Amino acid sequence: METLGTHLRFISWNVRGMGNPVKRSRVFAHLKRQTSDVVFLQETHLRTKDQHRLYCPWVSQVFHSNFNSKSRGVAILISKRCQFSATNIIADRDGRYLIVAGTVMQTKVLLVNVYAPNFDDVEFVNKLLSNIPCLSTHLLILGGDLNCVFNPTLDRSNPLNLTQSAMSRSFIDFMEQNGLVDPWRSRNPSTKKFSFFSPVHHSFSRIDYFLIDSALNSCVNSIDYLGIVISDHSPLLLDIQISTAKRNTSLWRFNSLLLAEREFCNFISNTVNDFLAFNQTESVSYSLLWETLKCYLRGQIISYSAFTNKNNNARINKLTSVIRNLDHLYALNPSPELLKQRIDSQAEFDRITTKEFSFITSSTVLRN
């Protein structure tokens, strides 16, 4: 058993559909890369019978509110590292919100995942907020795609209309009445940063949020918007100091897809030759030599895989950062050159993460 740190990592992300298996695997890989503990997903586009598709090797609990396979749907995923026990679940029949009350690390919390309508529907917001229970006994963590900006000047790249929507005013009133804060804005009071890109309007906006109980604000280690990749929304990452957890170590299994890589095959061939040149003597039996070679190869393969994964993750993180910076520059000064760089970077990101899908699928089969 490995002891974790004392923080939990929350991620909120509008993924724009989880029906496609390749995209679903890329989403899960991206979330795993961020070491997610509690994930709020919007627009899952899955039916009730397909809820099992939201499970993956690092997820232990799934809560889902669906609408149909073409639109809406919200889910909360709990990782195996997170000690969470649900006590009450409220799922919107229209797939717009999901409320889960429970305890995490012996702390009573209220998890609320929201996918708001993309028009100014204040009745939806009022209905949602009136349905949130246990506000006096639980710490609220509300996240999701709220489809409105709280500050039109700061939260839009091209703020043509500076009037607050009725939805945003309703959310802000609820925050003031219940002692909630927008932890990203409280740490970045005058910064422009965006979570959504509209290719139709060539504009950016910040419409994805975490709103948390003010008692948790001092427990926030970090909060940031990641690059807009895979979906047209940015994942929002929130680290909160709560308690400790344990991680179970899993058994190692060889990923046979490595055999399709010429570089790996050359590495193994050279490794075996070097091992035999040093260890094959008359005093060593073939059975002992074979058992020793297997142990040695296991260590070498683990080392090779770790090195390769580290390089791939570094490249993916680099591309994510590049895409995020390009989005920022494009929001300030759109140009065909920046758009081309953005498309090229996205294409490389897609190529790497799609290849990663094959390895994840193979690893999952091996574990099962």
Side-chain angles (χ1 to χ4, degrees):
M1 302 287 284
E2 180 183 348
T3 302
L4 291 177
T6 58
H7 78 272
L8 285 179
R9 174 158 291 178
F10 290 76
I11 290 184
S12 178
W13 193 10
N14 183 328
V15 292
R16 293 294 300 273
M18 293 279 280
N20 182 283
V22 174
K23 181 179 179 181
R24 186 167 60 247
S25 181
R26 293 174 64 206
V27 167
F28 283 142
H30 200 53
L31 291 170
K32 182 180 180 182
R33 195 174 296 116
Q34 308 306 325
T35 59
S36 313
D37 292 304
V38 181
V39 178
F40 292 12
L41 297 178
Q42 300 89 45
E43 288 203 80
T44 56
H45 298 183
L46 294 174
R47 294 168 293 185
T48 301
K49 69 175 186 177
D50 296 320
Q51 180 174 313
H52 67 278
R53 301 186 189 280
L54 292 171
Y55 282 93
C56 64
W58 54 269
V59 172
S60 64
Q61 299 180 66
V62 170
F63 306 95
H64 188 226
S65 171
N66 70 294
F67 182 61
N68 60 44
S69 60
K70 300 295 182 182
S71 64
R72 306 184 197 173
V74 291
I76 296 176
L77 314 183
I78 309 295
S79 81
K80 293 179 179 179
R81 294 185 298 269
C82 182
Q83 300 171 8
F84 180 79
S85 176
T87 56
N88 188 23
I89 302 169
I90 301 174
D92 175 41
R93 67 176 63 184
D94 293 324
R96 287 288 187 186
Y97 63 83
L98 178 63
I99 302 171
V100 181
T103 57
V104 57
M105 313 299 184
Q106 291 77 51
T107 300
K108 291 182 178 180
V109 295
L110 197 56
L111 307 179
V112 180
N113 186 8
V114 182
Y115 172 52
N118 59 1
F119 59 95
D120 196 10
D121 188 354
V122 69
E123 290 185 6
F124 163 79
V125 177
N126 292 336
K127 175 187 174 184
L128 158 70
L129 300 179
S130 65
N131 281 338
I132 298 178
C134 311
L135 285 171
S136 61
T137 57
H138 290 59
L139 297 174
L140 176 62
I141 301 174
L142 183 152
D145 176 2
L146 304 190
N147 258 317
C148 62
V149 298
F150 289 178
N151 186 323
T153 302
L154 292 176
D155 294 335
R156 287 198 181 105
S157 59
N158 300 313
L160 301 178
N161 183 359
L162 300 181
T163 304
Q164 279 186 333
S165 66
M167 285 206 310
S168 66
R169 289 195 299 271
S170 186
F171 276 118
I172 291 171
D173 288 345
F174 180 77
M175 292 170 63
E176 293 175 351
Q177 293 166 10
N178 293 279
L180 305 181
V181 295
D182 172 356
W184 187 87
R185 179 56 72 196
S186 71
R187 286 159 175 76
N188 303 275
S190 59
T191 302
K192 277 198 168 191
K193 201 165 191 178
F194 310 108
S195 65
F196 171 70
F197 174 67
S198 171
V200 176
H201 301 99
H202 293 279
S203 63
F204 291 83
S205 56
R206 188 175 80 99
I207 58 176
D208 300 270
Y209 299 85
F210 271 118
L211 308 178
I212 64 174
D213 193 297
S214 57
L216 288 172
N217 198 29
S218 61
C219 303
V220 173
N221 292 334
S222 64
I223 180 167
D224 198 11
Y225 292 96
L226 305 180
I228 299 176
V229 294
I230 303 176
S231 167
D232 53 6
H233 287 253
S234 164
L236 175 56
L237 186 151
L238 169 68
D239 282 347
I240 299 182
Q241 194 92 6
I242 293 184
S243 186
T244 58
K246 299 286 185 179
R247 177 189 291 131
N248 290 317
T249 55
S250 57
L251 294 175
W252 177 79
R253 294 288 187 274
F254 174 65
N255 189 340
S256 59
L257 287 180
L258 287 170
L259 296 174
E261 295 188 359
R262 178 176 298 180
E263 183 178 353
F264 174 78
C265 291
N266 290 336
F267 169 78
I268 289 298
S269 178
N270 293 333
T271 299
V272 171
N273 289 337
D274 291 343
F275 177 87
L276 293 177
F278 186 78
N279 294 282
Q280 190 173 17
T281 64
E282 293 182 358
S283 61
V284 178
S285 66
Y286 287 126
S287 60
L288 177 59
L289 189 67
W290 171 237
E291 294 300 325
T292 307
L293 174 60
K294 286 192 293 184
C295 293
Y296 180 71
L297 284 178
R298 177 182 181 274
Q300 292 297 305
I301 293 170
I302 290 174
S303 177
Y304 177 93
S305 298
F307 178 77
T308 303
N309 289 338
K310 182 179 179 180
N311 286 344
N312 285 340
N313 286 334
R315 183 57 184 159
I316 289 171
N317 290 335
K318 175 66 175 177
L319 285 169
T320 301
S321 177
V322 167
I323 290 170
R324 181 170 55 182
N325 291 335
L326 287 171
D327 285 344
H328 176 70
L329 294 174
Y330 191 85
L332 296 176
N333 187 21
S335 71
E337 292 78 13
L338 287 174
L339 183 59
K340 183 179 184 305
Q341 291 179 47
R342 210 278 185 204
I343 292 172
D344 291 344
S345 297
Q346 181 70 56
E348 185 178 357
F349 179 93
D350 291 345
R351 179 183 60 79
I352 295 174
T353 55
T354 301
K355 179 181 178 183
E356 187 179 41
F357 161 72
S358 300
F359 282 86
I360 293 171
T361 303
S362 175
S363 297
T364 302
V365 171
L366 287 169
R367 276 192 292 269
N368 293 337

